[in-house]
Every structure is written in structure tokens, then in C-alpha cells.
Amino acid sequence: MSQPAVTLLMPVLNGMPFLPETLESIERQDYKNWEIIVWDNGSTDGTLEELHRWIPSRLPGRVISGEPLKLGPSLARLVEEARSELCARIDADDVMYPERLRMQVAFMQEHPEVGVAGSEVEFIDNEGNVRPHTTPYATQDADLRWLVRWINPISHPSVIFRRSVVMNVGNYRDLKPFEDHDLWFRVGLVAELANLPQVLLKYRQHAKSTMGQANSKYHTYFDSMAELNADDLFTGFSSQEALRLRQKSIHNSDAKVTLGDLSSYRRAATNTALHLQKPKMYFRVTKAYKMFFKEMTRNYLLQSRAINAVVTLRQRMLSKSKT
């Protein structure tokens, strides 16, 4: 296969002391047709000086500084600045395996229908100690495009995407820390999503990282993404109906589930699949669909048993009062 150009996109704000390790991992890529664009958002810790030691003398590319932005807008500007169709994300504290770009480019060449492709990751701490990802990401489009309506199923710094697709759906928006989840959902309305099952990135978790700061509030951000895109959550459902249905499928939800809700959930999956020009069973055969349907069914049965128990108790009390 040919080696199409790839642009690595890195927004950064005070990337030290992890930045040199990240840049080294980029330099070690066994795929060579790439450049990097870095958007500095006002670093004061020596990040700019370190970047200029590497770019462009060791790493082909550019450093853009003097116009600090928030994360979402800086990502959008990086996409606009890219000169290649394929763009890959990387953060200033993560580490790429040498084969990352080669494997992702080959995948995108083989799957022109895919707009965004991530990969499996490992987590590392400040010292670089590795912790495997215990719940691997889904890899298939049907699972991912159904899951994205509830959670973020793609690791942001692991992705490669088609610039034209991202621009077509409106690019990144100013929605930290769920600007990536929002973008994957919108891309999934027009193109397929994927994750490579191979571990291609070490994702650093520490107190100052976005992931570290947001960890305890993930579900709040998932809900915010859904509310923002409620009109497009499920084909044939109003925004209020879609959000209500989504809430009823969430684990530990106290929302009452009826037989009508179970039917609506099936209809939402069928309608959405057909709207995306997929077979009507496209979502309904996935693990993701079955997981949420099982949760709704469980809640329905528990609530039904509780109601039956109350009715039975009332009947017994009434019977005793008559005697």
C-alpha cells in the first residue's frame, strides 16, 4: 500500500515533565510519512523551549504559539491547520508504540467507510508504571455507534480520523472535557467508528490530566453529551422521548420501565439502523444493545414484582379486616 501523509495534532498547556518521552515515542514511529502540529495554549513550564528542541530539527512539523485557546477551540484550529486527510491525535503526556501510525493508516486504507478509529490502550502513572485496561474497548462499528449514545467508547489520544469527515460534521466544539465524545457521536451519524484491538498507546493518568480530573464525573459528562445531541439520539424520537428512553436503560436508574419502553427501545434501534442505511437488526444483535435491553428488562421485572407484592399485601390486609 501507499504511505499517505498523516498529521499528528497536539494541543498542549504545560506539558513538562512528560513531554520529552512523548516526543521520543513519536520519533520512534516505524511509519515515516507524517508531520506534527503543536498548538501551545500559554505554557509557562519550559514546554515551548522543549518543543523547539525537537521541532522541526528532529520531528517534522510546526509549533504554533502566541494565541492560547481552550482545549476544544485549539483542537479545532489544529484540524483546520492540517494539510493531510488523515490526522492522528496525541497528548503531551502519553506514549505511542512504534507501530501505532503504521497499523492505523493501514486500517484506514482498508476501511474507507470508517471516519474515526481508535485503539486499545494501557494506562500509566507518573512513573510510567503500566496498568492494563481491564474493560477493553469495543471494536465493531455497530457496538460503538450504539454505545456512543451512552458512554465514550473511544480513547481520544489514540485516534486517527479523516479530516474531511470531521470538518463535515462541524469539527471540535468548546465542550471540555467531553469535546471528543461529542465529536465521535456526530461522526457516527455520517461514517463508521472503529477501535483496533491492539494496544497502541500508553495513556497517562495523573492528577493534572483531563482524565484524572474528570474521572469521578464521567457519567455527568456522558449525560451532557446526550442532552446536547438529543435531537439525533434515536431516529423517530423527539429529544425528550430520546433522553427519557436513554435514562431508563441506565444501570441503577430509578425511572419506571414499562413494556412500552422495552418496545420503544427496540424501535429506536431499528429506526436508527435503517436511517444509517444499515440492516434493521444492525444494532439489535450487538452486545451493547443487549446489555442495555437486559438492564431495562431487569428494572421492569423488579418493579413489576414490587407492585405485585404491594397488591398482594393490600389484598391480605383487606381480607383480614373483613374477618
Side-chain angles (χ1 to χ4, degrees):
M1 288 187 176
S2 63
Q3 288 206 339
V6 180
T7 305
L8 284 158
L9 310 179
M10 179 193 288
V12 61
L13 172 60
N14 294 331
M16 300 297 283
F18 306 114
L19 180 60
E21 186 179 4
T22 300
L23 298 175
E24 287 175 11
S25 76
I26 295 171
E27 187 179 42
R28 290 197 303 267
Q29 291 299 295
D30 58 21
Y31 187 88
K32 300 304 181 183
N33 191 15
W34 55 265
E35 70 170 353
I36 182 170
I37 308 177
V38 181
W39 193 284
D40 180 73
N41 289 309
S43 297
T44 58
D45 66 345
T47 288
L48 266 177
E49 292 79 2
E50 185 67 22
L51 287 169
H52 288 303
R53 292 189 189 99
W54 290 78
I55 303 169
S57 60
R58 292 176 64 176
L59 306 180
R62 299 176 278 151
V63 178
I64 301 173
S65 60
E67 190 180 346
L69 299 170
K70 291 189 285 186
L71 180 58
S74 68
L75 282 163
R77 289 293 300 274
L78 283 167
V79 175
E80 293 167 0
E81 290 284 337
R83 293 177 288 213
S84 63
E85 169 66 351
L86 292 178
C87 296
R89 276 282 289 112
I90 183 65
D91 284 329
D93 54 359
D94 301 322
V95 180
M96 297 163 57
Y97 278 100
E99 63 274 20
R100 176 197 166 177
L101 290 182
R102 171 172 53 81
M103 294 188 69
Q104 288 189 309
V105 169
F107 180 87
M108 296 298 275
Q109 288 183 293
E110 293 167 3
H111 298 88
E113 70 280 3
V114 172
V116 172
S119 79
E120 189 53 73
V121 303
E122 294 172 331
F123 297 113
I124 55 175
D125 60 19
N126 285 5
E127 287 72 43
N129 299 311
V130 175
R131 177 173 59 85
H133 188 196
T134 55
T135 53
Y137 291 115
T139 59
Q140 300 301 309
D141 173 66
D143 275 298
L144 291 169
R145 279 207 269 186
W146 197 243
L147 277 171
V148 79
R149 288 162 165 77
W150 283 266
I151 64 173
N152 185 351
I154 301 175
S155 173
H156 193 186
S158 79
V159 301
I160 188 169
F161 58 75
R162 301 187 197 278
R163 180 180 182 274
S164 60
V165 174
V166 167
M167 293 292 287
N168 182 50
V169 299
N171 209 341
Y172 284 95
R173 299 196 280 194
D174 183 10
L175 296 171
K176 184 181 179 180
F178 63 95
E179 71 288 327
D180 54 335
H181 189 189
D182 169 68
L183 181 58
W184 311 155
F185 175 80
R186 288 181 286 122
V187 168
L189 299 176
V190 301
E192 294 193 6
L193 306 176
N195 276 317
L196 277 70
Q198 296 85 357
V199 175
L200 300 180
L201 182 86
K202 295 181 181 181
Y203 195 146
R204 197 179 303 271
Q205 289 181 298
H206 55 91
K208 294 182 180 179
S209 67
T210 299
M211 188 171 184
Q213 293 171 351
N215 202 27
S216 63
K217 299 180 180 179
Y218 271 164
H219 288 286
T220 300
Y221 301 133
F222 298 157
D223 292 345
S224 296
M225 191 291 302
E227 291 167 7
L228 185 64
N229 294 284
D231 288 341
D232 295 313
L233 273 181
F234 305 120
T235 301
F237 288 72
S238 70
S239 59
Q240 288 184 335
E241 291 171 335
L243 291 173
R244 191 181 305 118
L245 183 60
R246 178 184 178 275
Q247 181 62 31
K248 290 188 176 189
S249 66
I250 295 174
H251 182 63
N252 290 332
S253 172
D254 57 1
K256 182 180 178 181
V257 177
T258 67
L259 282 175
D261 294 325
L262 295 174
S263 177
S264 293
Y265 180 73
R266 289 193 295 268
R267 179 162 53 90
T270 300
N271 290 356
T272 304
L274 293 174
H275 181 73
L276 295 173
Q277 299 183 334
K278 297 294 185 182
K280 67 178 183 179
M281 296 295 291
Y282 192 65
F283 294 123
R284 288 170 57 182
V285 298
T286 64
K287 290 181 180 179
Y289 173 89
K290 293 175 182 178
M291 175 181 66
F292 292 116
F293 187 77
K294 181 179 180 181
E295 189 60 35
M296 291 181 71
T297 302
R298 173 182 172 275
N299 287 344
Y300 168 72
L301 292 174
L302 288 174
Q303 292 159 5
S304 297
R305 289 169 186 166
I307 292 172
N308 290 336
V310 170
V311 171
T312 300
L313 180 61
R314 286 178 177 175
Q315 289 174 339
R316 289 176 179 175
M317 292 177 66
L318 181 62
S319 177
K320 287 182 178 180
S321 67
K322 290 181 178 180
T323 58

